[in-house]
Structure formats: structure tokens, C-alpha cells
Amino acid sequence: ETGVTQSPTHLIKTRGQQVTLRCSSQSGHNTVSWYQQALGQGPQFIFQYYREEENGRGNFPPRFSGLQFPNYSSELNVNALELDDSALYLCASSLAQATNTGELFFGEGSRLTVL
Amino acid sequence: AQSVTQPDIHITVSEGASLELRCNYSYGATPYLFWYVQSPGQGLQLLLKYFSGDTLVQGIKGFEAEFKRSQSSFNLRKPSVHWSDAAEYFCAVAPYSSASKIIFGSGTRLSIRP
């Protein structure tokens, strides 16, 4: 186990709705990254948070947004859900960028189905 | 832009046989390189990583990988696979300046024949 926990594990939404996914990072880690993994694909980088600020973003529209809290836990919010948003959403925590070994510790993910 | 290519979508090998999973990357400088494994119902786990130095890196579970700059490759190997190695394997790359912003390949699914 990595110590990274995500909730919920599964959820179903309909097109146009909004969703919030949550992540608790491993103790001592202050950087959180979010990834989207569509079926049969590799994880795609959504964004990263460091010290409560966005620290890099992949090729995702603004309706994907996030938050990081003082305890380093994080949320991923997706507005106006589309069918293509159906995927496994992975959270990964890591050490601060300055001392980063590049090793990400992943949670088991939240599987979102959009109908 | 950096990218990772894993040319094999699915590979089947017999238990006890050797394994090589291919990975090619595209990046202007020497990036950080990784192999992750994803087993059913489990999160991604780091097998090994290359930052610099010795081009042959050892990882967990008996895996190793060799960085070949001239071929822009970072292939994963194991001399003798076990049934428990059946999983999805992802090669990944990250820029030197931001080792945690990792870009993944599309993965290779490994099946083990008894």
C-alpha cells in the first residue's frame, strides 16, 4: 500500500453534471498530481498541485479544476461532464519538487462513468 | 514535445521464459525514465527509474532496464517471468526540470502462459 487514498472508488454521473474526487496524500508528501486513465490507455497528466497552488497542467480544458488543502489533501473537480470523461482518475503524491526523486505514489483511483 | 511509445500492445510469454518489453522515447535532452506496473485492482507501482549514471538499472521484483541513448530506448527485461508478473506495464518519461510531471506510454499488457 502506498498510503494514498482516493474516494469514491466508483461513481456514475450523467452528462452535464459536476463531480468532485478526493485524494489524501502519503504522509510527508506535499505535491499531488492527478491523472486520467481512459480504458486501454496510459495515464494522462491533468495537473499538479504544490503548496496549494497549481504547478503545471496537461492538455485538459478549464472545466477540470483542482484544489490542494493545507494538509496536502486534494480535490479534482470536473464540470459539465461529457461522455469522454469516463475514465479512471488517479491521484499520486510525491515529495517536494526540489528534492523530488521522480517517484510517484499512486492511489487505486476513482472510476467515473458518465452516462 | 516529449512522448513515449510502447510498440507492443499485448505480449504473452511462458512462465519461466525471459521477457523484454520495448519502450522508445522522444525528448530533446536526457529525460528521467521510468517503468511502472499496474496490476488489476491495484494502483500503479514504480518498478525502476533512470536519472543518470549506469545505463543498466535494477528494479524491484527482478526487473532491469537498459537506457540506450543512441536508440532512444529504455527496454524492460526479466530473465524468468512468474505467473504473478501478469499485469499492465507502462514506460514513462519526465523532464529533467520536473521529475514528477510524468508522461506515460500507452502500456503493454503481459500475459503469462502456464
Side-chain angles (χ1 to χ4, degrees), chain B:
Chain B
Q2 56 198 303
S3 65
V4 178
T5 301
Q6 294 180 249
D8 303 307
I9 295 173
H10 184 205
I11 285 181
T12 300
V13 300
S14 298
E15 189 169 16
S18 63
L19 170 71
E20 182 168 26
L21 302 183
R22 296 184 292 165
C23 172
N24 292 96
Y25 68 91
S26 173
Y27 189 66
T30 300
Y32 292 164
L33 294 163
F34 310 86
W35 276 97
Y36 278 82
V37 60
Q38 187 175 38
S39 300
Q42 298 185 26
L44 284 154
Q45 181 183 20
L46 179 67
L47 284 176
L48 48 78
K49 60 190 178 189
Y50 172 78
F51 283 2
S52 64
D54 193 348
T55 56
L56 183 64
V57 293
Q58 302 297 322
I60 63 171
K61 305 184 180 185
F63 285 93
E64 66 178 26
E66 186 172 12
F67 169 60
K68 293 185 176 180
R69 184 192 305 274
S70 61
Q71 299 176 21
S72 296
S73 69
F74 189 58
N75 294 349
L76 181 71
R77 301 194 295 247
K78 186 171 185 178
S80 176
V81 298
H82 186 262
W83 64 266
S84 61
D85 293 325
E88 189 88 20
Y89 290 81
F90 294 96
C91 182
V93 61
Y96 180 82
S97 60
S98 184
S100 62
K101 295 172 186 172
I102 293 176
I103 307 299
F104 288 85
S106 56
T108 297
R109 184 160 62 94
L110 174 65
S111 298
I112 306 298
R113 191 184 301 117

Side-chain angles (χ1 to χ4, degrees), chain A residues 3 7 10 14-15 19 21-22 35 37 39-40 42 44 48 57 64 67 77 83 97 103 108 110 112:
Chain A
S7 62
H10 296 82
T14 57
R15 221 168 14 165
V19 68
L21 307 178
R22 296 177 176 81
Y35 286 80
Q37 186 177 17
L39 200 60
Q44 301 293 312
Q48 181 185 87
R57 188 180 185 93
F64 285 78
L67 284 173
N77 298 289
L83 297 180
Q97 196 167 359
E103 179 170 0
E108 294 185 21
S110 295
L112 170 65

Side-chain angles (χ1 to χ4, degrees), chain A residues 81-101:
Chain A
L81 284 167
E82 301 177 359
L83 297 180
D84 285 349
D85 296 333
S86 295
L88 181 67
Y89 288 85
L90 297 166
C91 169
S93 73
S94 57
L95 293 169
Q97 196 167 359
T99 58
N100 198 351
T101 61

